[in-house]
Amino acid sequence: MEDKKCATFFAMLIILFASNSYLRLIQCQLMPIVSDNQVKTFIVFVEEPVGGANLVNDEELTNFHRSFLPNNSLDSGEERMIYSYRHAISGFAALLTADEALAMETKPGFLFARLPEEVRAETTYTPEFMGLSIGGGLWWSSQYGEGIIIGVIDNGITPTHPSFQSFNAVPAPPVNWFGNCSFGPNVCNNKLIGAMAFQNGKNPSPLDDTGHGTHCASIAAGSPVYDAGVLGQARGTAGGIAPRAHISAYKVLYRNLGSDDDMLAGIDQAIRDGVNVLSMSLVSGPKHFLDSGIAVSSFYAITQGIVPCAAAGNSGPTASVISNDAPWILTVGASNTDRRIKVTVMLGNGMEIDGESAYQPDTHNATDLELVLPGSDPDCLSVDAADVKGKIVLCEVSPFSLLIGRIVKDAEGEGMIIMNDVKHGFTTSSDPHVLPAAHVSHVDAQKLKAYVQTTRNPTASIVFKGTQFGASPTPSVAYFSGRGPSQYNGGIIKPDIIAPGVNILAAWPVEVGPNPTGNTTSTFNFMSGTSMATPHVSGIVADLKKNHPDWSPAMIKSAIMTTALTEDLDGNPIADDAFSHQPASYFAMGAGHVNPERANDPGLVYDTQPLDYIPYLCGMYSTPTVKSIVRQQGIDCSIIQSITAAELNYPSIGLRMPIAKGSAIVITRTVTNVGPAELYDLQIKKMPDGVDIRSDKKNLSFSALNETQSFRLQFTSNGTAQSGQVSEGYLILNSTTHVVRSPISITYY
Ligand SMILES: *[C@@H]1O[C@H](CO)[C@@H](O)[C@H](O)[C@H]1NC(C)=O
Ligand SMILES: *[C@@H]1O[C@H](CO)[C@@H](O)[C@H](O)[C@H]1NC(C)=O
Ligand SMILES: *[C@@H]1O[C@H](CO)[C@@H](O)[C@H](O)[C@H]1NC(C)=O
Ligand SMILES: *[C@@H]1O[C@H](CO)[C@@H](O)[C@H](O)[C@H]1NC(C)=O
Ligand SMILES: *[C@@H]1O[C@H](CO)[C@@H](O)[C@H](O)[C@H]1NC(C)=O
Ligand SMILES: *[C@@H]1O[C@H](CO)[C@@H](O)[C@H](O)[C@H]1NC(C)=O
Ligand SMILES: *[C@@H]1O[C@H](CO)[C@@H](O)[C@H](O)[C@H]1NC(C)=O
Ligand SMILES: *[C@@H]1O[C@H](CO)[C@@H](O)[C@H](O)[C@H]1NC(C)=O
């Protein structure tokens, strides 16, 4: 759809300008402003300056970038240059009219220009849930991620929160750390080693204005806080996944919204400062790589050994609305854990229905009250006291559940039940409501509605059960978790991995619930989203990086993917909350659920060097676009033998396959030994429907560390698949001590 729109625009453009070279400059989103003389911010990509080493000083680099501008300032006297980027991209952000941007086209070294894209945030028990334990395993061997620096690109941070106070086991930042703490003196410490904000070329306060950045940073690397909880629920020690790692916060969102020219400035600073991991719980929707600041800057990050972790987005369960899907990014989806802050709704007919809410007053009397549907407004955004006073009201789920609780309470309702629709399925939230409430699944919502509609005097009471573990199935894919297949990456399975992202307890700037005292000394909240899943993985990456400093970002990703769990705690395939708990597809869960202990010892890894992406990118884009991403002199796609996405040495295999019987595709994979000398058997454990897969090797024998071995896989259609059919299978390489698993997804055409 979107592609078609672009194609039409391109065709129009060719007529307008009679020059197809404009295709490089004009993006779809620029079309409506072609003849517009308004000054706007443009992000401009230019070739890496020849002998870039000469531009070591920032002023020289900025002057080089200024040479692309008509002049340095607007008529108003305002500086045109907003950001001169060194690391995030080769290029700059500047104030230009569309005509002035078009005029840059003739300057040697110009590659591409576009308007900024909007970026947004999507909004302690999880370490144990993932199998990390104190005093052993990965935490022990990695010293809890000691000394690794996680750059959190987000909505800022609450520096006074106990999660960001240092404790004696956190070392001083590395000697070559030059990150800036713009909160001023004596605010940052060995835990929070940097904080800086970027907005329109200025550096305002990096203070978190929503809680999102605070929450995400504390998940990745918060210091342990004893007796944390929300309204008395989920009590325990809250701490990050890499509790001895450092945090540097880069505020690029303002009330959870931002523009990717500011985001690129934050990422530029993070790379300059020397972070080891980029934790990016922000999205801009499905995009071509060059239109995604995260995709382009992450490419540079991997060339520096920095691991980019980013959220898949919260647009599930709709297929193909996935963000941050470039193959060099570690793309994270969200899972549900087995913890519930349980509330039971007891119906007048004896039926019991379980839901969730963080607000669980112990003074509450569970009395039978009339159970009603609201008047005209099913989601209860406007309710009448006449309808709800003294009653428990059934409201449809909406993004405003917390607000609706207040509305119902103001209308003197006694209780509220939030009912999921089909899409929300089995994912419920333990929100800090202001009145007795229960958030229930779609299946249970149907039962409640049937009861109310078929009973003369329907009644219910709400009974609080507190924090309970053991919910099943667990883990499952959260309904909202962004899903593939990606429209833009050529068929690579995304997300790569899922991690806990539902009702995650972590640091919060303010007290929540019905009666906040204003004491913000130590406050926590539950949040759900792929935003919360991402810093779990960023923390795990920090732990792994500490243990394996010589692993490339692709090796770390491979270790995490090939060791992922694909079964839930009951031994069934991981289920999907949005589809009646049916087994989740690879486009929902990627390689599976992150399993940090096994990721620490994967046996073999699939490595990919940054330059290996060039033939893949040349298969999708023109030379200037590839140069804008890869930033190498002399790339010429017309003389490079391109490859498909399936031919990248990726830890999963996503293949597009003709249906016709006998059609064959051959791909090669190369594994690197990071374990002991061992013999591995290669087995297609599950053959996808409609195809036969043959490997040229039955086994691979490794005698040394770092040794690589390749194998070829031939896929042959047997003519039974339907067009558009997706078939899943997987292969393993197994030794006596390791299993290296790769999911295989075939889409037939
Ligand atoms: C800069 O260039 C613009 C457009 O080319 C022009 O209108 C403006 O007068 C110039 N400003 C200065 C200070 O020369
Ligand atoms: C760091 O922040 C301070 C205060 O905001 C500022 O004066 C200084 O120039 C900054 N340093 C760098 C390297 O950005
Ligand atoms: C609970 O019920 C008891 C006895 O009916 C009553 O005395 C008490 O005030 C009630 N408490 C609340 C919080 O409504
Ligand atoms: C504020 O909260 C902290 C942590 O929960 C607690 O130690 C402290 O006593 C509280 N202060 C007040 C004034 O309630
Ligand atoms: C084709 O493959 C499917 C599933 O993999 C299998 O059930 C079927 O028997 C095969 N058909 C032929 C003609 O080989
Ligand atoms: C490895 O596979 C080859 C066939 O590819 C076979 O001849 C050989 O016996 C196998 N080795 C072991 C140790 O299984
Ligand atoms: C393995 O490779 C890494 C770099 O990729 C290197 O640092 C390390 O020394 C190598 N180890 C051996 C035993 O060759
Ligand atoms: C791989 O697993 C199979 C069982 O599925 C086992 O028979 C075989 O010995 C294993 N291969 C190696 C090399 O340990």
Side-chain angles (χ1 to χ4, degrees):
M1 187 65 217
E2 207 164 325
D3 283 339
K4 226 170 165 179
K5 211 165 71 195
C6 294
T8 324
F9 284 150
F10 284 163
M12 266 168 55
L13 257 186
I14 291 163
I15 296 160
L16 283 174
F17 296 101
S19 159
N20 59 7
S21 60
Y22 285 124
L23 293 187
R24 287 198 261 149
L25 172 60
I26 299 295
Q27 282 287 291
C28 310
Q29 75 272 15
L30 279 187
M31 270 315 296
I33 60 146
V34 168
S35 60
D36 185 345
N37 259 336
Q38 234 185 312
V39 172
K40 291 197 159 71
T41 301
F42 280 79
I43 298 177
V44 182
F45 295 78
V46 300
E47 290 206 34
E48 199 89 350
V50 184
N54 296 334
L55 304 181
V56 281
N57 110 20
D58 288 347
E59 203 176 310
E60 283 170 333
L61 181 67
T62 307
N63 284 337
F64 167 66
H65 287 155
R66 283 201 180 113
S67 71
F68 289 87
L69 300 176
N71 53 31
N72 289 349
S73 50
L74 300 170
D75 283 345
S76 64
E78 192 175 352
E79 268 278 324
R80 284 185 188 270
M81 186 65 70
I82 302 171
Y83 295 113
S84 177
Y85 306 111
R86 179 179 289 279
H87 304 289
I89 64 169
S90 169
F92 56 91
L95 292 170
L96 295 160
T97 65
D99 287 348
E100 289 168 341
L102 283 165
M104 283 186 306
E105 163 88 347
T106 57
K107 307 231 173 187
F110 169 87
L111 289 171
F112 183 84
R114 66 167 170 85
L115 294 178
E117 291 286 340
E118 182 185 275
V119 284
R120 57 184 190 276
E122 307 238 284
T123 182
T124 300
Y125 163 67
T126 42
E128 291 86 338
F129 177 73
M130 295 188 301
L132 288 169
S133 57
I134 293 172
L138 175 59
W139 262 2
W140 186 250
S141 59
S142 74
Q143 292 299 298
Y144 305 85
E146 184 178 300
I148 301 293
I149 303 166
I150 303 178
V152 181
I153 312 295
D154 211 293
N155 196 67
I157 198 157
T158 309
T160 50
H161 197 280
S163 296
F164 308 123
Q165 305 318 305
S166 194
F167 59 106
N168 54 17
V170 183
V175 285
N176 57 350
W177 175 256
F178 297 112
N180 202 335
C181 182
S182 39
F183 285 122
N186 305 322
V187 176
C188 289
N189 52 47
N190 287 348
K191 166 57 65 182
L192 179 63
I193 62 171
M196 216 171 158
F198 301 85
Q199 190 175 35
N200 286 323
K202 310 234 157 27
N203 302 115
S205 163
L207 192 66
D208 186 357
D209 54 14
T210 61
H212 188 273
T214 298
H215 204 265
C216 292
S218 73
I219 293 169
S223 294
V225 178
Y226 302 98
D227 204 25
V230 177
L231 300 171
Q233 298 304 322
R235 294 218 81 95
T237 301
I241 303 300
R244 288 191 199 163
H246 306 292
I247 295 168
S248 188
Y250 302 87
K251 179 173 170 71
V252 302
L253 300 177
Y254 299 82
R255 299 217 63 84
N256 289 355
L257 269 182
S259 169
D260 79 342
D261 57 321
D262 292 332
M263 183 194 71
L264 286 170
I267 294 172
D268 203 64
Q269 186 71 40
I271 298 173
R272 174 186 302 245
D273 287 348
V275 304
N276 306 113
V277 184
L278 282 168
S279 191
M280 297 177 285
S281 292
L282 65 179
V283 303
S284 57
K287 292 262 181 305
H288 282 293
F289 297 152
L290 211 43
D291 286 336
S292 160
I294 293 184
V296 187
S297 56
S298 292
F299 191 92
Y300 185 75
I302 62 160
T303 68
Q304 304 302 303
I306 300 166
V307 184
C309 304
N314 297 349
S315 303
T318 313
S320 292
V321 191
I322 184 159
S323 287
N324 302 323
D325 52 2
W328 48 86
I329 296 173
L330 184 42
T331 312
V332 187
S335 70
N336 216 334
T337 71
D338 68 335
R339 183 181 66 198
R340 298 287 183 273
I341 316 300
K342 199 162 156 186
V343 176
T344 301
V345 183
M346 322 267 279
L347 300 181
N349 64 2
M351 195 192 292
E352 296 186 8
I353 285 173
D354 290 332
E356 283 199 273
S357 168
Y359 174 55
Q360 305 226 342
D362 43 18
T363 52
H364 176 74
N365 283 336
T367 36
D368 279 349
L369 296 169
E370 197 180 332
L371 184 63
V372 294
L373 288 162
S376 51
D377 188 6
D379 63 11
C380 302
L381 262 173
S382 59
V383 290
D384 244 341
D387 292 328
V388 305
K389 184 173 177 182
K391 300 172 187 171
I392 296 174
V393 59
L394 293 165
C395 306
E396 296 288 345
V397 72
S398 77
F400 312 109
S401 300
L402 280 168
L403 171 66
I404 286 162
R406 291 205 185 84
I407 292 170
V408 171
K409 192 182 182 192
D410 288 346
E412 296 182 62
E414 283 292 322
M416 167 179 79
I417 295 169
I418 307 260
M419 301 186 297
N420 271 356
D421 57 14
V422 173
K423 180 178 117 167
H424 285 70
F426 285 96
T427 307
T428 56
S429 301
S430 54
D431 283 331
H433 292 290
V434 295
L435 80 172
H439 183 179
V440 303
S441 73
H442 178 61
V443 168
D444 288 333
Q446 300 299 99
K447 294 180 192 160
L448 283 168
K449 279 188 208 165
Y451 169 66
V452 169
Q453 281 156 357
T454 60
T455 309
R456 188 175 289 273
N457 292 311
T459 62
S461 62
I462 292 178
V463 179
F464 298 113
K465 298 276 180 72
T467 305
Q468 306 220 346
F469 299 91
S472 160
T474 281
S476 55
V477 178
Y479 89 87
F480 56 76
S481 189
R483 288 138 201 266
S486 158
Q487 305 168 58
Y488 292 106
N489 72 12
I492 287 158
I493 300 171
K494 289 282 174 168
D496 292 309
I497 197 80
I498 54 172
V502 177
N503 298 325
I504 302 303
L505 176 103
W508 199 247
V510 295
E511 211 179 346
V512 294
N515 306 305
T517 62
N519 181 358
T520 59
T521 315
S522 175
T523 46
F524 289 83
N525 196 8
F526 293 113
M527 292 267 281
S528 299
T530 51
S531 282
M532 284 67 238
T534 301
H536 277 93
V537 173
S538 308
I540 290 165
V541 168
D543 293 337
L544 293 174
K545 244 189 125 54
K546 172 74 184 179
N547 272 359
H548 308 284
D550 59 345
W551 284 6
S552 69
M555 290 164 85
I556 289 179
K557 173 198 270 200
S558 175
I560 287 175
M561 288 173 66
T562 62
T563 58
L565 295 169
T566 55
E567 290 182 350
D568 65 20
L569 297 179
D570 300 321
N572 299 314
I574 288 178
D576 193 328
D577 275 6
F579 298 104
S580 310
H581 279 155
Q582 294 297 304
S585 82
Y586 295 150
F587 291 133
M589 70 168 185
H593 198 269
V594 66
N595 182 359
E597 286 300 340
R598 280 201 48 218
N600 192 32
D601 180 21
L604 305 175
V605 291
Y606 295 85
D607 194 10
T608 305
Q609 295 305 315
L611 298 187
D612 298 341
Y613 291 107
I614 294 173
Y616 155 76
L617 288 168
C618 281
M620 302 191 341
Y621 296 114
S622 63
T623 298
T625 302
V626 177
K627 277 186 173 173
S628 299
I629 298 169
V630 180
R631 295 163 63 174
Q632 287 275 319
Q633 303 282 341
I635 294 174
D636 181 356
C637 286
S638 66
I639 57 167
I640 289 170
Q641 176 73 49
S642 70
I643 62 168
T644 63
E647 292 171 281
L648 281 172
N649 196 38
Y650 211 73
S652 62
I653 299 171
L655 200 61
R656 286 175 48 75
M657 187 84 220
I659 321 170
K661 184 175 166 67
S663 317
I665 292 178
V666 177
I667 64 171
T668 302
R669 285 286 185 274
T670 301
V671 281
T672 305
N673 184 30
V674 293
E678 277 189 298
L679 175 73
Y680 283 82
D681 283 332
L682 192 162
Q683 309 175 46
I684 309 294
K685 269 291 212 196
K686 178 169 184 284
M687 191 67 79
D689 286 343
V691 73
D692 184 53
I693 308 176
R694 288 286 155 84
S695 165
D696 66 338
K697 304 253 176 77
K698 296 265 173 296
N699 51 56
L700 305 172
S701 170
F702 294 88
S703 53
L705 193 62
N706 288 352
E707 186 180 344
T708 63
Q709 299 267 355
S710 296
F711 55 93
R712 284 211 327 262
L713 297 172
Q714 172 158 334
F715 295 72
T716 311
S717 282
N718 81 3
T720 58
Q722 307 292 310
S723 176
Q725 179 180 329
V726 176
S727 302
E728 296 187 340
Y730 66 96
L731 75 78
I732 61 165
L733 287 157
N734 76 299
S735 68
T736 49
T737 56
H738 295 95
V739 179
V740 184
R741 183 184 188 279
S742 289
I744 303 170
S745 176
I746 298 182
T747 305
Y748 292 94
Y749 67 94

